Amino acid sequence: MQFVYAGRAFLWTGKMGVPHLWLVLTDPDPKTTLIITVMVVTERPHTDRTVVLEPGDHSFIRHRSSIDYGSARYVPISKMSGILRNSAANLQPDMTPKLLARVRQGLLASPRTINAIADDCRKAFGK
């Protein structure tokens, strides 16, 4: 069984020193083994409002939050699996299929998404 896949959610502190919810948007690419993830941030005046999450959209969300599409990144599956297995990140409940679809649509619509990531996601999402 695959440990990391589209729809997974995890809490990760990373280099920023503040834990954030990260969402996995793609299954591992069979050729590169990369996944694409995005970070959820507290909504602020400067944040991307392409997709705004409210409490109830995901069990982790306690206040209005935004998907930070500028944070979208490629992560090797080996690195992500290691981070999760070594407890450097904590798994959270998976996204619902409806939320995954909404976050994916936002990635393609956001002006802050890196073009290469948007292009790869179009292929991965079949768009």
Side-chain angles (χ1 to χ4, degrees), residues 48-123:
D48 186 343
R49 287 191 175 70
T50 304
V51 172
V52 175
L53 302 179
E54 301 285 349
D57 286 332
H58 184 275
S59 62
F60 184 82
I61 304 299
R62 302 279 185 249
H63 54 267
R64 238 174 122 85
S65 301
S66 298
I67 306 296
D68 179 13
Y69 290 108
S71 73
R73 63 184 59 180
Y74 298 99
V75 179
I77 191 69
S78 59
K79 179 179 179 180
M80 189 73 260
S81 294
I83 288 168
L84 290 167
R85 284 196 179 101
N86 294 326
S87 300
N90 299 312
L91 283 176
Q92 298 296 310
D94 289 350
M95 289 183 278
T96 63
K98 182 179 176 181
L99 179 57
L100 176 59
R102 192 170 139 214
V103 174
R104 283 176 160 185
Q105 288 172 341
L107 181 130
L108 299 177
S110 175
R112 297 186 186 185
T113 303
I114 296 168
N115 291 336
I117 289 178
D119 291 345
D120 287 342
C121 282
R122 275 187 199 86
K123 292 173 198 165

